[in-house]
Amino acid sequence: MTLIRAITRLAFVTAFIVLNGCSTQTERKVSYYQFDIVAEDKVVTSPESKPQLIIKEVDMYAGLNEPGMVQRLDNYRARAATWHQWAILPSDMLESATANLLSQQLSGWLILIEKDGDIPQTESAEKASYAVRIFVERFNGGLNGDAEVVGSWSLYNADQQLVIKNTFNKSVPLKQDGYAGLTQALQVAWTEVSDDIARYLLSRQ
């Protein structure tokens, strides 16, 4: 009888440990991150004399355009976080951030995102002064306590001819550890990319 009681007690304790472990896992919650770049509170009109820039797209490698934030493990491997995710898809976040940043940096311009529906389907980039496409190869935590943003942007004129293709390779050290620090550093790096685009456009005026 004593042996049966001991076995029963052991089974109960084992079941309690397993259930407690499962409960701990299910209670763990995903943390979501996004850039702190928002549009200014203003009304934008489109007079004929106002230069326009259409953001055609921000394209990314498939492995980067996922909810999980990406950290490089070595020169050949990267891993997407399970519990630390972007609040929206990175490509959508970067398109919005680019429009908001360029609206601030190019105060006399009208900045539009093509897929947002701001541009009637009967019109195209021919109606705008310029159009820009951005491709992102890296958007992740680096190997040296930094954030990496690597890719290129291509600018087209009103005749849809390529004006310039510019590559970028930004590395920004993290000011604090963790994914919040990574988010901040990635935002700084992306602001630098936007600065480069704005600086070039202003040089052509």
Side-chain angles (χ1 to χ4, degrees), residues 3-16:
L3 178 60
I4 295 175
R5 185 178 300 169
I7 293 174
T8 303
R9 180 176 296 176
L10 179 61
F12 176 79
V13 171
T14 302
F16 176 79

Side-chain angles (χ1 to χ4, degrees), residues 37-53:
I37 301 174
V38 296
E40 295 179 345
D41 186 11
K42 63 180 182 180
V43 177
V44 179
T45 58
S46 179
E48 291 295 328
S49 59
K50 193 167 191 174
Q52 296 181 14
L53 173 67

Side-chain angles (χ1 to χ4, degrees), residues 25-64:
Q25 289 182 352
T26 56
E27 288 176 0
R28 186 171 185 179
K29 296 181 179 180
V30 176
S31 295
Y32 295 97
Y33 303 82
Q34 62 185 355
F35 283 0
D36 183 25
I37 301 174
V38 296
E40 295 179 345
D41 186 11
K42 63 180 182 180
V43 177
V44 179
T45 58
S46 179
E48 291 295 328
S49 59
K50 193 167 191 174
Q52 296 181 14
L53 173 67
I54 295 176
I55 300 172
K56 300 289 286 185
E57 64 179 344
V58 174
D59 192 18
M60 311 178 74
Y61 282 142
L64 296 176

Side-chain angles (χ1 to χ4, degrees), residues 38-174:
V38 296
E40 295 179 345
D41 186 11
K42 63 180 182 180
V43 177
V44 179
T45 58
S46 179
E48 291 295 328
S49 59
K50 193 167 191 174
Q52 296 181 14
L53 173 67
I54 295 176
I55 300 172
K56 300 289 286 185
E57 64 179 344
V58 174
D59 192 18
M60 311 178 74
Y61 282 142
L64 296 176
N65 198 30
E66 297 291 340
M69 299 177 70
V70 177
Q71 173 70 45
R72 272 214 298 157
L73 303 178
D74 53 39
N75 289 333
Y76 307 101
R77 297 180 302 155
R79 176 178 295 164
T82 301
W83 302 104
H84 300 276
Q85 299 186 5
W86 293 111
I88 57 176
L89 281 180
S91 60
D92 293 335
M93 181 179 69
L94 294 181
E95 285 177 359
S96 176
T98 303
N100 292 336
L101 286 167
L102 289 173
S103 292
Q104 299 169 17
Q105 296 155 340
L106 302 170
S107 58
W109 290 60
L110 179 63
I111 310 298
L112 303 172
I113 300 176
E114 185 173 61
K115 75 179 184 183
D116 276 359
D118 293 334
I119 307 164
Q121 294 187 4
T122 55
E123 298 187 19
S124 66
E126 296 177 0
K127 296 289 185 180
S129 304
Y130 294 99
V132 63
R133 283 189 169 93
I134 306 175
F135 179 70
V136 181
E137 298 177 30
R138 286 186 183 176
F139 185 72
N140 52 262
L143 302 178
N144 303 307
D146 60 345
E148 298 178 328
V149 175
V150 178
S152 63
W153 52 267
S154 300
L155 191 69
Y156 300 84
N157 62 19
D159 296 321
Q160 302 189 56
Q161 296 176 330
L162 180 65
V163 175
I164 184 175
K165 181 174 183 177
N166 186 82
T167 59
F168 54 84
N169 189 335
K170 309 293 185 181
S171 175
V172 176
L174 271 63

